[in-house]
Amino acid sequence: MFKKILIANRGEIACRVAATARRMGIQTVAVYSDADAQAKHVAACDEAVHIGGSAPKDSYLRWENILAAAKATGAQAVHPGYGFLSENEDFANACAAAGVVFIGPPASAIQAMGLKAESKRLMDAAGVPLVPGYHGANQDPALLHSEADGMGYPVLIKASAGGGGKGMRVVEKSEDFAAALASCQREAINSFGSDAVLVEKYVQRPRHIEIQVFADTQGNCVYLFERDCSVQRRHQKVLEEAPAPGMTPELRRAMGEVAVAAARAVNYVGAGTVEFIVEQPQGYGHPEAMKFYFMEMNTRLQVEHPVTEAITGLDLVEWQLRVASGEPLPLKQEQLVLTGHAIEARICAENPDNNFLPATGTLQVYRKPGHTAFERAADGPTHGVRVDDGVREGDAISPFYDSMVAKLIVHGATREQALARLDAALAQTRIVGLTTNVQFLRRVARSDSFAKGRLDTALIQREADVLFNQEPVGLALAAAADVAQTLTDERAAEGADPFSKTDGWRLHTEFARRFAFEFHGETVQATLSYLHDGALRLSVGEGDRAVSGLLAFEPTATGDGLVVSYAGQRSTVQVVRRGEVGHVFTPAGATQITSVDLLAHAGDGQGEGGRLTAPMPGKVVSFAVQAGDVVTKGQPLAVMEAMKMEHTIAAPADGTVAELMFAPGDQVTEGAELLKLTLG
Ligand code: ADP
Ligand code: ADP
Ligand code: MG
């Protein structure tokens, strides 16, 4: 076994690999960029080497620097994690040439599976079922278009070199094909350096089911069952689970054996995932009718590998290290056992209600659910909650890397139990300072489709009514919680027992105190009356939406929150104040309520006029308009790229473009003015 390895990655996966290495007594070397000098993964390793600037191309993708760091520190092997260099055959070759073990498959297998079109030709020859489509080398747009017409719509155009959900366009009808092809090719050349595409039939009611495979250098190859990753947004995974709901032993074996055949066809070694798209021609719950087709093979450890670890009780990073050091696979196919049900939720810095726009910010408050790590027990995996992350409270989520903050993994004896654990764990995940998808994930997990296992990749669109723009906490409770927190803070500041019924200020006879809040863009007034008997009455809002009732509160047993009773409702809440904003966490979900100082805000409300600003730091990809153009509300004006995604900036109102402030390719900071618009 290795004595020392270098981890050529950052964030949660670098921490994840370091944890196993530590458990196995292997020393670890971290690498880090400027932005990551204080990162958690650096602290998680025994040594750390600075490899360059914050942008990935200046650090985590610079394999010369990484190899030099391995040499300098005496690391015998490099673990690439996922993303970055994990599927870069040049890096795998360079490692071999430098006498450093690449913890992954041989470069030839990476290359064979690296391009979607070529890998499909190879898989076809190996008898692996493929989605009907065109995977040829001829890229003449007219030919691609006629191939699509021949297949019938909808079709999917995919960048052959693509990954991470990027470089894909669904085309609904022939008229849209040419424009979709051009935009797919543009994204492909920018992101992957090649504009080669393939076109395939867009499978109806598709499910994404993938098989974890593992092979060693002695010719053994096994499958570690499946993961269902059908819940996606922008072709990227949101929730992953194992086993796949409705899976039968027969289908599992059939898919597993095809996946092993696919791996064997490229002389695979190490951890890999064969992704299948599964058609459900008879609707949900008819596994006998499901048809599976090879989609691609990811020649690395996958983000969602923990769900497989949960149901098998294995440590896949340990297996990777054993295989890379020449040991045989620890178990044979017949010895692998699937226990219980596991679900992973990807917690990301993004705004689901704004088309999943990535967010940057600082984790001012970062509370994780009480968790019990999956310890390996003799009788299989323990059930519990696991959090894999690469950040700590106080850390920033920068625009340089992807938006995943943490992964929450739950395991239960049954899917129902796992779902209940997931719901509770998400409710206990408290993040302030950063917009995240935590509440959204909770709603997805609770949605009818997910709860009943009616899965396909359109689940999020189908359930949109209950997933987006939801407010789990009403104004009355939010305001009551905020007022209760204010009073608690004031009493504590006065040195009074904050919950005593007889402290001084309460002896003023009856009087009223006014509060103003902003809640969902509306300004609301609230009045707190101190009654003769020491009780409090709170009135919130006006007109028919007004609520009035007695307010009482006390600290929770654990002291980190308040039990608030208001207008007949009793809730355990936690209010975290950041400036004027109160972040209110309740069992039903979380919300924000802003305390408004009416005098301080007099004169506001002029709006931003014709200023159009960047919603986040990133790069200007293109402008769709020029100075002088007349535009209408909602018309696309510019495309920005940030955190691996493209975002269209649309006109907020009708007007005329006065001036473009940047050129395509320019890097912009959050709030930078992109263009001037004369309204009207
Ligand atoms: P990536 O390399 O970006 O992961 P994939 O080829 O794995 O690209 O596809 C990503 C996702 O796109 C899949 O998980 C699935 O949801 C969807 N998808 C891919 N191919 C098809 C298809 N032929 N029909 C329907 N959906 C598809
Ligand atoms: P998975 O099926 O494991 O989610 P993806 O193709 O979505 O596979 O990519 C895996 C992960 O690799 C992503 O979630 C992302 O964190 C990381 N990744 C992929 N490409 C890059 C890149 N160019 N730079 C940084 N990270 C990347
Ligand atoms: Mg994929």
Side-chain angles (χ1 to χ4, degrees), residues 68-134:
K71 285 299 210 187
T73 54
Q76 297 153 293
V78 172
H79 194 303
Y82 53 68
F84 296 135
L85 297 170
S86 59
E87 296 180 278
N88 183 319
E89 71 245 32
D90 294 335
F91 179 58
N93 274 323
C95 286
V100 174
V101 176
F102 175 77
I103 302 171
S108 55
I110 299 179
Q111 185 185 15
M113 289 298 188
L115 294 176
K116 289 184 206 283
E118 261 129 66
S119 70
K120 285 192 178 174
R121 279 177 249 157
L122 206 70
M123 290 298 108
D124 203 17
V128 173
L130 298 184
V131 186
Y134 174 78

Side-chain angles (χ1 to χ4, degrees), residues 82-84 164 237 275 298 300 302-304 346 402 644:
Y82 53 68
F84 296 135
K237 299 158 186 169
E275 296 189 333
N298 292 325
R300 53 171 161 85
Q302 204 102 334
V303 173
E304 57 275 20
R346 297 191 188 193
D402 71 313
K644 302 203 292 146

